[in-house]
Coordinates of all heavy atoms in Angstrom, one line a residue:
K327 N -58.2 -0.7 -17.6 CA -59.4 -0.8 -16.8 C -60.1 0.4 -16.6 O -61.2 0.5 -16.0 CB -59.2 -1.6 -15.5 CG -58.6 -3.0 -15.6 CD -58.4 -3.6 -14.3 CE -58.0 -5.1 -14.4 NZ -57.8 -5.7 -13.1
G328 N -59.5 1.5 -17.1 CA -60.1 2.8 -17.0 C -59.8 3.6 -15.8 O -60.5 4.5 -15.4
V329 N -58.8 3.0 -15.0 CA -58.5 3.6 -13.6 C -57.4 4.6 -13.8 O -56.3 4.3 -14.5 CB -58.1 2.5 -12.6 CG1 -57.8 3.2 -11.3 CG2 -59.3 1.6 -12.5
L330 N -57.5 5.8 -13.3 CA -56.4 6.7 -13.3 C -55.2 6.3 -12.4 O -55.3 5.9 -11.4 CB -56.9 8.1 -12.7 CG -57.7 9.0 -13.6 CD1 -58.3 10.1 -12.8 CD2 -56.9 9.5 -14.8
T331 N -54.1 6.3 -13.1 CA -52.9 5.7 -12.5 C -51.6 6.4 -13.1 O -51.6 6.9 -14.2 CB -52.8 4.2 -12.7 OG1 -51.7 3.7 -12.0 CG2 -52.6 3.9 -14.2
P332 N -50.5 6.4 -12.3 CA -49.2 6.9 -12.9 C -48.8 6.0 -14.1 O -48.7 4.8 -13.9 CB -48.3 6.9 -11.8 CG -49.1 6.9 -10.5 CD -50.3 6.1 -11.0
L333 N -48.4 6.5 -15.2 CA -48.0 5.8 -16.4 C -46.7 6.4 -16.9 O -46.3 7.5 -16.5 CB -49.1 5.9 -17.5 CG -50.4 5.3 -17.2 CD1 -51.4 5.5 -18.3 CD2 -50.3 3.7 -17.0
R334 N -46.1 5.6 -17.8 CA -44.9 6.0 -18.5 C -44.9 5.9 -20.0 O -45.6 4.9 -20.4 CB -43.7 5.2 -17.9 CG -43.2 5.5 -16.6 CD -42.2 4.5 -16.1 NE -42.8 3.1 -16.0 CZ -42.0 2.0 -15.8 NH1 -40.7 2.1 -15.8 NH2 -42.6 0.9 -15.6
K335 N -44.3 6.8 -20.7 CA -44.2 6.7 -22.0 C -42.8 7.2 -22.4 O -42.1 8.0 -21.7 CB -45.2 7.4 -22.8 CG -45.2 8.9 -22.5 CD -46.4 9.6 -23.3 CE -46.3 11.1 -23.0 NZ -47.5 11.9 -23.7
T336 N -42.3 6.8 -23.7 CA -41.0 7.4 -24.1 C -41.1 8.9 -24.3 O -41.9 9.4 -24.9 CB -40.7 6.7 -25.5 OG1 -40.8 5.3 -25.5 CG2 -39.2 7.2 -26.0
S337 N -40.1 9.5 -23.6 CA -40.1 11.0 -23.7 C -39.9 11.4 -25.1 O -39.1 10.8 -25.9 CB -39.0 11.6 -22.7 OG -37.8 11.3 -23.2
S338 N -40.4 12.5 -25.4 CA -40.3 13.1 -26.9 C -38.8 13.3 -27.2 O -38.3 13.2 -28.3 CB -41.1 14.4 -27.1 OG -40.8 15.4 -26.1
K339 N -38.0 13.9 -26.1 CA -36.6 14.2 -26.3 C -35.8 12.9 -26.6 O -35.0 12.8 -27.5 CB -36.1 14.8 -25.1 CG -34.6 15.3 -25.2 CD -34.1 15.8 -23.9 CE -34.8 17.2 -23.6 NZ -34.1 17.8 -22.4

Side-chain angles (χ1 to χ4, degrees):
K327 297 181 180 180
V329 178
L330 283 171
T331 186
L333 295 175
R334 288 172 291 170
K335 62 182 179 182
T336 310
S337 71
S338 58
K339 182 183 295 185

